[in-house]
Amino acid sequence: MLTRIDHIGIACTDLDATVEFYRATYGFEVFHTEVNEEQGVREAMLKINETSDGGASYLQLLQPIRDDSPVGKWLAKNGEGVHHIAFGTADVDGDAETIRDKGVRVLYDAPRTGSMGSRITFLHPKDCHGVLTELVTSAPRPAEDH
């Protein structure tokens, strides 16, 4: 069962400038940064709040490190902006299978590693009213690690 909005992914061309905008404008601070080679992105997670199920909600800022990465291709076509929405779940495998059984295309046969050690999969945007949708099972949360 989906329990929360885990994060909203925002594609950007300059991660540092985008982080500074969200810090200066809204007071959001970086909770975690990493480079995900498999996804071809450099990212920053800005924590918005804690949630009642022990998780949190974030903005995920994504800068492609390769033009041929999924975010790089999307950015070239669409420009900066909201890339996807991610819903948190305790069971990404089970929820992906349940959603697949309802006729929605799940983009990965098995979940992959996402931000902060999470397990993720994506749902095809054409089956989700134009919205690229991610399902996320969070790893146990580490302490803040700017």
Side-chain angles (χ1 to χ4, degrees), residues 4-138:
R4 69 184 181 285
I5 295 175
D6 185 86
H7 67 271
I8 297 171
I10 299 173
C12 61
T13 57
D14 183 334
L15 184 65
D16 297 327
T18 307
V19 164
E20 179 55 24
F21 169 80
Y22 281 97
R23 189 204 59 71
T25 305
Y26 306 116
F28 298 152
E29 296 294 338
V30 173
F31 178 79
H32 175 84
T33 60
E34 71 181 81
V35 173
N36 184 321
E37 293 289 343
E38 181 181 4
Q39 298 291 325
V41 294
R42 182 174 157 240
E43 64 180 79
M45 297 294 273
L46 286 62
K47 186 187 283 187
I48 307 305
N49 66 332
E50 301 289 336
T51 61
S52 63
D53 66 354
S57 293
Y58 301 90
L59 286 180
Q60 178 187 47
L61 306 179
L62 301 159
Q63 177 186 332
I65 57 173
R66 299 186 309 269
D67 291 340
D68 67 342
S69 70
V71 172
K73 291 176 188 176
W74 187 91
L75 195 57
K77 181 179 178 182
N78 300 292
E80 292 186 305
V82 174
H83 179 262
H84 67 274
I85 186 166
F87 295 109
T89 173
D91 182 10
V92 69
D93 299 271
D95 284 340
E97 192 60 35
T98 297
I99 291 168
R100 179 182 281 121
D101 290 345
K102 294 178 180 180
V104 175
R105 286 173 281 179
V106 178
L107 299 183
Y108 303 151
D109 290 332
R112 297 182 181 177
T113 301
S115 299
M116 301 184 290
S118 63
R119 297 185 70 243
I120 65 166
T121 196
F122 285 89
L123 309 178
H124 200 292
K126 288 184 179 177
D127 297 342
C128 299
H129 297 272
V131 178
L132 179 60
T133 304
E134 182 179 6
L135 304 179
V136 178
T137 296
S138 300

